[in-house]
Amino acid sequence: MRTVVYPGSFDPITYGHLDIIQRAAKLFDRIVVAIANNDAKRPLFSMNERREMVLKSVAHLPHVEADKLTGLLVDYVRKQGAKAIIRGLRAVSDFEFEFQLALMNRKLDDRVETIFMMPKESYVFLSSRIVKEIARLGGDVSAFVPLHVQKALDRKLAKTR
Ligand code: ADP
C-alpha cells in the first residue's frame, strides 16, 4: 500500500488543493491530508471545521483521509507509514519556500521524499488567502471552492461584517 501525506493549512480547502489531491489519487493507494494548526497564520476556520470541509470535498474519493498534523512533518509521515510528501507548486513564487522546506525535510529524514505537482492552469493563481479576501469583500467564490465551503465562508464572515 503506497501512502502519501499532503500537508497544509487548508483554511479553507479550494479547487486548487482538490486538483492536487485528485492527481495524487491516481498515483497512490492512500492519501492523508494533514491539516496543520498554523496559529501564526491565524486561521479563519478551526481545525475541526477545516477537517470537515476536507472530508466533505473528498467524499467521492474513498482512499483520501483527513487528519490533524501533529509534531514534526517527517515524523508524522513515518508514523502514517508513508515515504513521501506531496506539495503543490503554483507560480515561481512558491518555488523558493518549497525548495527550502523540501531540503530541510530531507536533512531531517532522507527516507522521506517530497513530490511536487502542478495544478490545472486555471488554479495556478488560487490560494486560500485570496478566496478569503474575495469572500470577505462580498465577491463570488463559486469558481474556486465547493458549494459547502462557500456556505461555510458566508456563515463565518457574516459574523465579522
Ligand atoms: P495556501 O497556500 O493556499 O494557504 P496551504 O498552506 O493549505 O494553502 O497549502 C498546502 C499545499 O497546497 C501547498 O503545497 C500549496 O502550495 C498547495 N496549494 C495551495 N493552493 C494550490 C493551488 N491553487 N494549486 C496547487 N497547489 C496549491
Side-chain angles (χ1 to χ4, degrees), residues 44-45 131-132 135 141 149-157:
L44 178 64
F45 293 100
V131 167
K132 284 181 281 190
V141 293
V149 174
Q150 253 185 86
K151 287 185 177 161
L153 278 164
D154 282 345
R155 278 196 302 274
K156 184 68 81 173
L157 294 171

Side-chain angles (χ1 to χ4, degrees), residues 6-11 14-17 20 38 41 86-90 94 98 117-119 123-129:
Y6 180 32
S9 339
F10 305 98
D11 183 42
T14 69
Y15 283 143
H17 295 123
I20 298 294
N38 227 336
K41 269 193 179 174
I86 290 272
R87 295 288 289 174
L89 269 189
R90 287 162 288 190
D94 273 344
E98 293 294 340
M117 302 194 87
M118 274 165 281
Y123 300 140
V124 158
F125 296 106
L126 181 53
S127 71
S128 300
R129 191 184 57 78

Side-chain angles (χ1 to χ4, degrees), residues 38-158:
N38 227 336
D39 287 336
K41 269 193 179 174
R42 311 223 325 126
L44 178 64
F45 293 100
S46 70
M47 173 61 64
N48 267 342
E49 288 169 330
R50 284 181 274 158
R51 194 169 162 272
E52 286 302 313
M53 284 187 277
V54 170
L55 284 176
K56 258 193 196 165
S57 310
V58 299
H60 60 296
L61 298 167
H63 51 315
V64 182
E65 301 165 21
D67 188 29
K68 178 179 177 178
L69 173 59
T70 48
L72 207 54
L73 179 58
V74 284
D75 293 341
Y76 178 87
V77 168
R78 303 291 305 176
K79 256 188 257 164
Q80 286 292 340
K83 290 189 179 135
I85 299 165
I86 290 272
R87 295 288 289 174
L89 269 189
R90 287 162 288 190
V92 184
S93 49
D94 273 344
F95 187 80
E96 178 131 9
F97 174 70
E98 293 294 340
F99 193 61
Q100 195 180 10
L101 198 67
L103 290 184
M104 186 51 74
N105 282 328
R106 181 182 286 168
K107 225 179 186 74
L108 292 171
D109 188 339
D110 68 1
R111 292 166 298 182
V112 174
E113 287 297 340
T114 303
I115 298 169
F116 293 105
M117 302 194 87
M118 274 165 281
K120 191 172 157 192
E121 303 88 271
S122 44
Y123 300 140
V124 158
F125 296 106
L126 181 53
S127 71
S128 300
R129 191 184 57 78
I130 281 183
V131 167
K132 284 181 281 190
E133 198 60 38
I134 297 171
R136 196 170 274 132
L137 297 169
D140 177 9
V141 293
S142 58
F144 311 130
V145 294
L147 184 62
H148 65 90
V149 174
Q150 253 185 86
K151 287 185 177 161
L153 278 164
D154 282 345
R155 278 196 302 274
K156 184 68 81 173
L157 294 171

